[in-house]
Amino acid sequence: MNTILLLLAALNVITVNPQVEVGPAAEDLWGIFFEDIDLSLDGGIYAEKIRNPSFEQYEQNSWTQGLPLQYWHPIGKPEMQVKAADKKDVAAPSPKSMLVTCRPGEGVWNEGYFGIGVEEGKRYNLSFALRFAGPLGDRSLPVGGDYQAPRMKVAFDRFGGSSIGEVEIPLIADDKWHEYKATLTATATDPQARISFIVQCQPSTLTFNLDTVSLFPAETYGKYGLFRKDLMEKLAALKPKFVRFPGGCWVEGDTMKEAYRWKNTLGSRWSRKSQHNLWEYWSTNCIGFYEYLLLCEELGAKPLFCINTGMSHKENVPLEKMDEFVQDALDVIEFCNGDANTTWGAKRAELGHPEPFNLEYLQIGNENKGRAYEERYPLIADAVKAKYPEIKLIACRFNYDLKCRPVEIEDDHFYKDVGWFFDNADFFDKGKRRNENKVFVGEYATQKRIGRWGDLRGALGEASFMIGMERNPDKVKLAAYAPLFANYEHSNWTPNLIYVTPNESFASPSWNVQKLFAENAGDTVVECKVEAEPRTITADAMTTKDGEVIIKVVNMTTKEQPLNIVGVDFSPRRVTKIIFGGTEDGAAHNTFANPDALKEVEVEVEVENGGTISDTLPPNSFVIYKSRSK
Ligand code: AHR
């Protein structure tokens, strides 16, 4: 028996040779991919709680099924309709508003993104614009008698009506637009509260236009006040080196009308045109291209913009009309990097950011391929390279190798089952790929049989694959898990890294794995040989400038694995071990109720006489050994 155990132990040997350098770590390897998918932006990271805040989401088509007004509802029997602003109404805060006629005690409510989501004791900043349109606006006021000045009661209501926080705002009774601001404090927690606007005035019928209704938590992340704190904290914990945005399929759209065009997303946030999103909702574009850049800045990450290349899922732009798309690419670089004397740099400065954003990476298209891509890619690529040779271009590799131009970096996507990831930890070592181009693994995630929320085995599959990426720094330059967020009530894609309700969120075990890689990235990849049965363990090793040795190991099996680490003389050092997973239950996962069901632990490791480590890897585990000089 002992002999068998000894033999097994001998099988799992990791030999690390810090003196043999594979190469410097890819400097921007671990990033994130932010797509406007499954309400990740509106109803996700954008902290705005009002849905359809400036009534621009009024598009009658097959998808809206002719609904006149979305996400707003009556209290009592008011008349409610969306109105385009009169051309003479130059003070109108946005192109459309809601015209409401109601009696005292009646009003409207907004449903938010599946609830307004408030938390006891927290403050929320409200603002809205209103003008009376008659009959009150037509009268000269005050009129005496039992007349009371009009007021708007704004409240957080529980389902069924009881108020959990309210404020009364006196209104100015004339026919000019006025902006009102107030702070509401929630007296209870309710993820599904609604926000109601009830008019109080005696004894009149009121007609007014309501516009630009906004509710933000008083506490947001960072300096721009745009982003939801809990979600940004989860992203910041990943220490992303770059943010690829805004898609994904959202960049392409099903048709060119739905394709992402960055210039359409600038200007006043209230006036931006909503756009049908192929992930089955309307995007407000309130987080437009500029705000995406602010998001990158808040995270200290490089922007990696994926631009439409004149191709959508169902149609392509004729070649003779491609000039506009080429110009978009040149202009976006000027917008990001040009100084304030350039046309687009000046527009950026006007928006409040005279300093450039230093765009370094531009991806031409998402999952495009074939003849149409061969025809369009060089139009954009050549124009960009001629004017901005320093920009690093990324081409799609979507089951297709681009032939028309040498590829600088190719974007490859991997949505596979756990077994595939375990079997392909060596994918980027020699021999398995179709070419030797530099790679951006722009989207990857384990799929199938990993439950609704992603599970431990799935995360370990990704960890194995990530080890394979990390130990090939000359080939794999960038990588990002996908997708990042899904609203709990609108999840068209499974799994996602982080799940969101109006006031809660939790991350899948894949998030822990992403975080651990980012936190434990070394500076140099060094030689690391693994002797083990296939599909048992995989590993890599790195050193840091401070002389630290970092060894990452995945135990892909559901059993404990004995392990010997040799080659590094650990004896004069202190060794710590971070363990993630370590349970026989590969289906273990996090939930809203138990967001930290799976969490890494850190312990000290015994170093043997002779400086080696003899250890046991727990079942289903990702383990990181870190040595520090004493
Ligand atoms: O990540 C979800 C989708 O998967 C992306 O939009 C697309 O690029 C890929 O097919």
Side-chain angles (χ1 to χ4, degrees):
M1 182 65 179
N2 278 347
T3 326
I4 294 173
L5 276 179
L6 273 173
L7 275 174
L8 274 177
L11 277 178
N12 293 331
V13 179
I14 295 178
T15 309
V16 177
N17 191 346
Q19 272 68 52
V20 180
E21 296 186 358
V22 173
E27 72 173 306
D28 292 332
L29 184 59
W30 305 127
I32 56 175
F33 165 44
F34 197 114
E35 174 163 21
D36 188 350
I37 179 174
D38 289 347
L39 291 170
S40 57
L41 211 54
D42 299 322
I45 202 139
Y46 182 38
E48 175 64 81
K49 285 183 168 287
I50 304 289
R51 194 158 188 186
N52 195 8
S54 57
F55 308 97
E56 302 308 310
Q57 282 182 28
Y58 176 70
E59 301 269 344
Q60 289 205 344
N61 63 17
S62 58
W63 188 74
T64 56
Q65 294 170 340
L67 284 178
L69 177 59
Q70 291 187 282
Y71 312 116
W72 288 90
H73 308 277
I75 296 169
K77 290 191 176 162
E79 285 170 28
M80 303 155 69
Q81 53 178 306
V82 174
K83 280 272 175 198
D86 193 303
K87 282 209 177 79
K88 283 184 243 149
D89 186 4
V90 286
S94 85
K96 300 190 193 93
S97 66
M98 175 165 62
L99 184 66
V100 183
T101 299
C102 62
R103 283 171 299 183
E106 292 185 331
V108 296
W109 63 276
N110 185 271
E111 64 183 60
Y113 290 89
F114 309 100
I116 289 290
V118 292
E119 284 174 79
E120 184 176 351
K122 295 230 164 132
R123 291 175 307 115
Y124 299 87
N125 295 333
L126 169 79
S127 63
F128 60 89
L130 186 147
R131 71 184 268 270
F132 285 101
L136 189 60
D138 297 340
R139 294 205 318 228
S140 19
L141 293 168
V143 292
D146 58 359
Y147 170 77
Q148 288 176 7
R151 282 158 293 134
M152 182 72 86
K153 188 178 99 179
V154 185
F156 297 139
D157 295 329
R158 282 190 187 284
F159 187 74
S162 65
S163 159
I164 50 168
E166 59 186 59
V167 67
E168 265 198 17
I169 303 165
L171 301 172
I172 301 166
D174 63 24
D175 60 0
K176 298 192 177 53
W177 282 104
H178 296 281
E179 200 196 359
Y180 299 92
K181 289 189 175 176
T183 298
L184 281 94
T185 303
T187 57
T189 296
D190 188 343
Q192 286 177 323
R194 64 185 201 180
I195 187 166
S196 61
F197 297 78
I198 296 180
V199 169
Q200 318 236 308
C201 172
Q202 292 294 338
S204 192
T205 296
L206 301 174
T207 299
F208 59 89
N209 292 83
L210 185 65
D211 202 0
T212 56
V213 188
S214 175
L215 183 78
F216 270 69
E219 214 183 353
T220 51
Y221 184 93
K223 66 176 182 182
Y224 294 110
L226 288 170
F227 304 114
R228 210 174 114 171
K229 190 161 178 280
D230 58 331
L231 302 186
M232 284 296 276
E233 282 170 353
K234 286 192 171 65
L235 294 188
L238 301 179
K239 302 179 184 297
K241 290 288 177 65
F242 66 88
V243 182
R244 174 184 182 230
F245 67 92
C249 294
W250 167 236
V251 166
E252 302 159 89
D254 264 347
T255 61
M256 282 315 296
K257 195 173 161 226
E258 292 184 354
Y260 188 85
R261 307 294 303 278
W262 70 275
K263 287 178 183 165
N264 295 343
T265 70
L266 303 178
S268 157
R269 263 190 284 151
W270 299 120
S271 303
R272 292 178 196 165
K273 253 187 125 188
S274 294
Q275 192 178 339
H276 183 243
N277 185 314
L278 76 183
W279 298 109
E280 294 183 348
Y281 53 93
W282 284 83
S283 291
T284 63
N285 280 322
C286 281
I287 297 300
F289 181 74
Y290 174 70
E291 289 80 14
Y292 270 115
L293 295 172
L294 300 182
L295 175 90
C296 299
E297 187 183 296
E298 297 268 37
L299 292 170
K302 296 179 182 177
L304 188 163
F305 180 48
C306 180
I307 197 165
N308 184 287
T309 182
M311 296 174 74
S312 71
H313 286 174
K314 294 184 182 151
E315 60 184 359
N316 300 325
V317 171
L319 287 175
E320 62 277 14
K321 295 204 171 142
M322 277 296 293
D323 286 359
E324 191 184 320
F325 289 76
V326 174
Q327 199 57 50
D328 275 2
L330 296 175
D331 292 344
V332 88
I333 299 168
E334 189 172 288
F335 182 82
C336 294
N337 299 355
D339 66 41
N341 299 323
T342 61
T343 311
W344 285 95
K347 289 190 202 290
R348 183 196 67 236
E350 253 170 58
L351 293 173
H353 208 286
E355 313 78 27
F357 284 105
N358 302 321
L359 183 78
E360 198 177 307
Y361 297 105
L362 182 71
Q363 176 165 359
I364 304 182
N366 175 67
E367 294 191 343
N368 299 133
K369 62 178 178 179
R371 184 169 161 197
Y373 191 47
E374 297 277 0
E375 287 168 343
R376 286 161 184 77
Y377 177 89
L379 302 178
I380 296 179
D382 293 354
V384 168
K385 277 290 162 187
K387 192 162 179 196
Y388 301 105
E390 69 283 8
I391 293 287
K392 294 177 186 135
L393 289 182
I394 299 170
C396 307
R397 206 205 83 78
F398 190 50
N399 304 320
Y400 179 86
D401 289 315
L402 188 77
K403 295 167 199 72
C404 61
R405 291 289 178 279
V407 170
E408 227 171 306
I409 304 176
E410 65 179 25
D411 170 31
D412 209 350
H413 297 174
F414 299 86
Y415 294 108
K416 307 282 188 185
D417 62 28
V418 186
W420 187 93
F421 279 114
F422 283 154
D423 290 338
N424 284 280
D426 62 351
F427 189 82
F428 297 101
D429 305 339
K430 268 207 149 33
K432 282 203 170 177
R433 297 172 58 216
R434 286 159 47 136
N435 64 46
E436 287 300 306
N437 288 341
K438 309 244 176 289
V439 191
F440 170 25
V441 179
E443 300 181 24
Y444 65 96
T446 333
Q447 290 189 323
K448 294 184 195 152
R449 294 186 296 281
I450 49 159
R452 174 162 181 201
W453 310 114
D455 67 9
L456 176 59
R457 292 287 285 168
L460 294 178
E462 289 145 16
S464 311
F465 195 59
M466 290 170 82
I467 280 178
M469 293 196 247
E470 191 173 63
R471 70 176 175 225
N472 281 288
D474 55 328
K475 296 170 198 153
V476 187
K477 295 296 175 190
L478 310 150
Y481 179 97
L484 211 48
F485 288 113
N487 189 298
Y488 170 75
E489 300 282 354
H490 187 107
S491 185
N492 264 332
W493 186 282
T494 302
N496 301 276
L497 203 62
I498 300 165
Y499 290 90
V500 178
T501 70
N503 56 0
E504 283 181 312
S505 60
F506 80 91
S508 82
S510 299
W511 177 84
N512 299 73
V513 163
Q514 295 286 321
K515 181 169 84 71
L516 287 171
F517 270 88
E519 284 172 349
N520 297 289
D523 300 308
T524 307
V525 180
V526 297
E527 188 180 82
C528 174
K529 289 187 182 145
V530 178
E531 291 160 77
E533 287 290 312
R535 257 215 201 181
T536 49
I537 64 168
T538 188
D540 76 341
M542 300 178 96
T543 54
T544 68
K545 290 190 186 100
D546 304 333
E548 194 180 11
V549 181
I550 303 170
I551 302 165
K552 301 192 184 77
V553 191
V554 174
N555 174 7
M556 305 173 200
T557 72
T558 53
K559 306 219 162 27
E560 285 186 346
Q561 289 289 334
L563 174 70
N564 291 318
I565 303 179
V566 299
V568 186
D569 182 2
F570 286 112
S571 47
R573 300 164 183 235
R574 189 164 59 87
V575 177
T576 54
K577 166 165 94 162
I578 302 166
I579 307 163
F580 180 66
T583 157
E584 280 172 19
D585 179 14
H589 58 276
N590 298 328
T591 58
F592 281 110
N594 195 357
D596 288 326
L598 286 161
K599 206 174 175 185
E600 57 276 11
V601 290
E602 198 168 320
V603 292
E604 294 267 313
V605 181
E606 291 268 317
V607 177
E608 310 254 299
N609 287 340
T612 58
I613 292 178
S614 269
D615 202 11
T616 302
L617 295 170
N620 291 320
S621 60
F622 175 37
V623 178
I624 304 173
Y625 296 89
K626 292 176 87 169
S627 74
R628 280 183 191 284
S629 298
K630 271 197 175 145

